[in-house]
Amino acid sequence: MRDFRRLWLSGAISGIGSWLLVVAIPFHVFALTGSAVATGLTLALEALPPLLIGPWAGALLNRWDLARAMWIADLVSAAAVGLILTADHDRIWPIYVAILLENTATTVFRPAARALLPAVVGTGKELARANAINAGTGSAIRLAAPPLGALLLAGPGIEFVLAVDIASYLLSAAIIATVRTRRHPTTGEPPRALEGLRAAIEHRALRGILIGQTAFLTANAGLTALLVPFTVDRLHAPGYVVGYLISGLGAGYLAGAALSTTAARLLGTRELLTLTQLATAAAFFGLFNAPNIPVAIAAAALIGLPGSILLITAQTTIQRAAPPEILPGVGAIFFAADSLALLIGALAAPTATLALGLPLTLNILAALAVGAAGVTLLVVPRHPAHLLPVRKQPRAKG
């Protein structure tokens, strides 16, 4: 488990720096421009690299040494964050270039990390436990890093926050470079950009999870996009109360990560995915119909608990079911689908509120999340044999 500890440590360190930027970058852009449109553009740019180049990056990762790809991606991210330091009131474009570069590196790093994990811990019980540990760590960072970023912005300032993020990427790269486990790259055939998509479509379990999760995450993205208007217009609370809701969500994620391995022992994959989507959707209704702030915070925690189990279960199943030699490519397809869901939900939800109003739109999106649970029940196979990996067949030479 030596290599797993190093992977975990590098992910935790770089994760702290990344979540500091979640607060710092929108604040910095708005401080420089005073424009809500310019600030919103920073969020849209984050989704573009996984969607546009993710399949190609995944195909290349099938042929690369994954640990090397990860530490190179960390170095690119550090350089990208450094580029932000050159921006000012008259030169905002370096921030946009930096966002594209950093998220391009992340498009390489994330599928590589998830594909390397089974090589380090295996595909048995240790894999589910490792995913739960990573999810719990990520939840704790999500809970603590944004308010810490706000404090650092109010104190030392944006330059200090950026310096911390650069240091976190450099330290993460140094740690990953010491990982000994290698998932040897495949050789021979040239990489195919849609190789991961082909595998995801042909494998029943992967296809089912891709369809069900994309539908669910689209509804989730729409609800997330309306969280601030809900807080201000429905709860009649100041905008900073969103931070309390996010903290409640993070607490729920921590609890869910701790319970995920027990839940996986009690229920089959299809049943667990369906029930956690359904429970999360029910908590959506509770949150967006909450009469006051305490009830809303409690509902946010109830979203996080099954939501964490849902994400861990889906990720573990993908790692077990995908052919190992093309797991990075399959992972990149799922990241691209997540980005597509984010874009659709984030664009469609505010538009729907103009025609339907905020309360009705929120409840329709929650109902769509319930529908996604029904889709998952129909499309994810029940039989365990369909959850096993299918080895890629060699193509005939002609």
Side-chain angles (χ1 to χ4, degrees):
M1 295 295 285
R2 168 190 174 276
D3 282 343
F4 169 70
R5 288 194 294 271
R6 299 197 175 198
L7 283 177
W8 169 82
L9 181 60
S10 70
I13 290 172
S14 64
I16 291 172
S18 297
W19 274 99
L20 289 177
L21 288 188
V22 169
V23 173
I25 292 302
F27 172 86
H28 189 45
V29 171
F30 189 77
L32 290 176
T33 66
S35 169
V37 174
T39 305
L41 182 58
T42 64
L43 300 177
L45 290 175
E46 292 178 5
L48 287 182
L51 184 59
L52 297 180
I53 70 171
W56 282 266
L60 291 173
L61 283 172
N62 293 336
R63 271 75 184 176
W64 290 351
D65 179 286
L66 296 180
R68 183 182 297 125
M70 290 168 64
W71 64 255
I72 290 175
D74 268 337
L75 294 181
V76 172
S77 294
V81 175
L83 186 61
I84 299 174
L85 292 169
T86 68
D88 55 33
H89 294 278
D90 300 320
R91 295 174 70 254
I92 195 67
W93 62 264
I95 296 180
Y96 296 139
V97 174
I99 292 172
L100 286 173
L101 285 176
E102 185 189 22
N103 283 277
T104 297
T106 301
T107 300
V108 172
F109 185 96
R110 291 175 65 189
R114 294 190 180 183
L116 183 59
L117 186 59
V120 171
V121 302
T123 57
K125 295 180 179 179
E126 291 300 323
L127 178 60
R129 187 174 294 112
N131 281 325
I133 291 172
N134 285 338
T137 303
S139 299
I141 292 171
R142 179 182 299 183
L143 190 64
L148 175 60
L151 288 174
L152 292 177
L153 283 172
I158 183 65
E159 291 81 6
F160 182 82
V161 174
L162 295 176
V164 170
D165 194 39
I166 292 171
S168 72
Y169 278 126
L170 294 177
L171 184 55
S172 172
I175 294 172
I176 293 172
T178 66
V179 172
R180 297 174 182 172
T181 302
R182 290 291 184 269
R183 193 216 64 142
H184 296 292
T186 58
T187 58
E189 300 173 356
R192 295 180 292 167
L194 299 181
E195 194 171 35
L197 178 61
R198 186 175 293 106
I201 292 175
E202 292 176 353
H203 193 288
R204 282 193 62 192
L206 295 176
R207 181 174 67 245
I209 294 173
L210 183 64
I211 295 171
Q213 282 289 89
T214 301
F216 181 84
L217 291 176
T218 301
N220 179 77
L223 292 168
T224 302
L226 298 177
L227 188 58
V228 172
F230 161 75
T231 302
V232 175
D233 295 340
R234 296 287 293 168
L235 292 180
H236 306 291
Y240 65 79
V241 170
V242 172
Y244 299 153
L245 298 179
I246 293 175
S247 294
L249 184 67
Y253 269 113
L254 279 173
L259 295 173
S260 62
T261 52
T262 301
R265 287 196 298 267
L266 296 176
L267 295 170
T269 298
R270 184 182 71 169
E271 290 74 18
L272 189 54
L273 290 172
T274 301
L275 286 176
T276 50
Q277 285 182 346
L278 192 60
T280 306
F284 285 153
F285 280 110
L287 171 60
F288 293 109
N289 292 281
N292 52 53
I293 294 172
V295 173
I297 294 173
L302 291 177
I303 290 172
L305 196 156
S308 179
I309 298 174
L310 169 64
L311 295 177
I312 293 170
T313 302
Q315 178 177 315
T316 303
T317 305
I318 293 166
Q319 290 168 322
R320 287 173 173 167
E325 61 272 17
I326 58 171
L327 178 55
V330 172
I333 292 298
F334 276 87
F335 287 132
D338 292 351
S339 297
L340 179 62
L342 175 61
L343 283 177
I344 294 174
L347 293 175
T351 303
T353 60
L354 298 177
L356 304 175
L358 182 61
L360 181 57
T361 300
L362 290 169
N363 283 285
I364 288 176
L365 289 171
L368 289 176
V370 174
V375 171
T376 296
L377 184 63
L378 291 175
V379 299
V380 175
R382 181 179 183 182
H383 198 280
H386 294 295
L387 302 176
L388 298 175
V390 176
R391 294 284 176 177
K392 186 180 72 167
Q393 299 298 318
R395 290 181 289 172
K397 298 180 180 179

